Amino acid sequence: MLKKIITSTIICILMQSCNSQKKDLAQIKLPTSKSTLINNEIDQKKQPFIYDPNLTAYEYKDSEMLTYDNNDLSNSIDEDVSATYSGKNYLNLLVNEKTKKIEGYQFHTYTKQESEKLFNSLNKKLGLPNYDDKDKIDRHVVWEDENEIYVFNIGYNAIIQNIKTDEVNLIVLNNQLDNLIMYINSTTYYEAYLKERKKKNLNVKNYSYSVFAKEQSNKGNKYYLKGI
């Protein structure tokens, strides 16, 4: 009996320890200290961020890190995660090594259920987006919230491991990273809006995408209205 009690106690302690390590990205404000989320770099996969070599991407695929709004976003298309390409969801923490600050993060989900969870969480947290082209195949949505910008792309007809799914790429950045933000939005009309906003030296509160799109529509460029 005593042995069972001791075993149960140990299991509880281990579970509490694991839970305490979980970090919910929905609660993190950017920029934040590197040590807030990255405590151990041993055997940690890291490389220059594909969109900006000035940032280092620390990659995670475990459930302790892939948590957003209390949702565990870790999963894989292929149950055999040892396969060469299993379509395993991942998180990149984007670090400026000079300042030791996390300037952003990237969630990439291949699995439909986790993609839907992430989108629903963002809608709940951020409300109506600043931009949404509502494309039925390759949709782009942008939110701006205080010091952060959320650039969300969802492919509704993605094929991973011969399975049709909803594939999502979310990049959240400190809004001071102007050049990177422009580049990330280069596949949307939001890039042109950001350039015009910067030119006018305005911000999202006093110059919205909606105002920009209507200005452009009056000039004959009605395609900008798609993002409203």
Coordinates of all heavy atoms in Angstrom, one line a residue, residues 1-10:
M1 N 0.8 -1.2 0.0 CA 0.0 0.0 0.0 C 0.9 1.3 0.0 O 0.6 2.2 -0.7 CB -0.9 0.0 1.2 CG -1.9 1.2 1.3 SD -3.1 1.1 0.0 CE -4.0 2.6 0.3
L2 N 1.9 1.3 0.9 CA 2.8 2.4 1.0 C 3.5 2.6 -0.4 O 3.7 3.8 -0.8 CB 3.8 2.2 2.1 CG 4.9 3.3 2.3 CD1 4.2 4.6 2.6 CD2 5.9 2.9 3.3
K3 N 3.8 1.5 -1.1 CA 4.5 1.6 -2.4 C 3.6 2.3 -3.4 O 4.1 3.2 -4.2 CB 4.9 0.2 -2.8 CG 5.7 0.3 -4.1 CD 6.1 -1.1 -4.5 CE 6.9 -1.1 -5.8 NZ 7.3 -2.5 -6.2
K4 N 2.3 2.0 -3.3 CA 1.4 2.6 -4.3 C 1.2 4.1 -4.0 O 1.1 4.9 -4.9 CB 0.0 1.9 -4.2 CG 0.0 0.5 -4.7 CD -1.4 -0.1 -4.6 CE -1.5 -1.5 -5.3 NZ -2.9 -2.0 -5.2
I5 N 1.2 4.5 -2.7 CA 1.1 5.9 -2.4 C 2.3 6.7 -2.9 O 2.1 7.8 -3.4 CB 0.9 6.0 -0.8 CG1 -0.5 5.4 -0.4 CG2 1.0 7.5 -0.4 CD1 -0.6 5.4 1.1
I6 N 3.5 6.1 -2.6 CA 4.7 6.8 -3.1 C 4.7 6.9 -4.6 O 5.0 8.0 -5.1 CB 5.9 6.0 -2.6 CG1 6.0 6.0 -1.1 CG2 7.2 6.5 -3.2 CD1 7.1 5.1 -0.5
T7 N 4.3 5.9 -5.3 CA 4.3 5.9 -6.8 C 3.3 7.0 -7.3 O 3.6 7.8 -8.2 CB 3.9 4.5 -7.3 OG1 4.8 3.5 -6.9 CG2 3.9 4.6 -8.8
S8 N 2.1 7.0 -6.6 CA 1.1 8.0 -7.0 C 1.6 9.5 -6.8 O 1.4 10.4 -7.6 CB -0.2 7.8 -6.3 OG -0.7 6.5 -6.6
T9 N 2.3 9.6 -5.6 CA 2.9 11.0 -5.3 C 3.9 11.4 -6.3 O 3.9 12.6 -6.8 CB 3.5 10.9 -3.9 OG1 2.5 10.5 -3.0 CG2 4.0 12.3 -3.5
I10 N 4.8 10.5 -6.7 CA 5.8 10.8 -7.7 C 5.2 11.2 -9.0 O 5.6 12.2 -9.7 CB 6.8 9.6 -7.9 CG1 7.6 9.4 -6.6 CG2 7.7 9.8 -9.1 CD1 8.4 8.1 -6.6

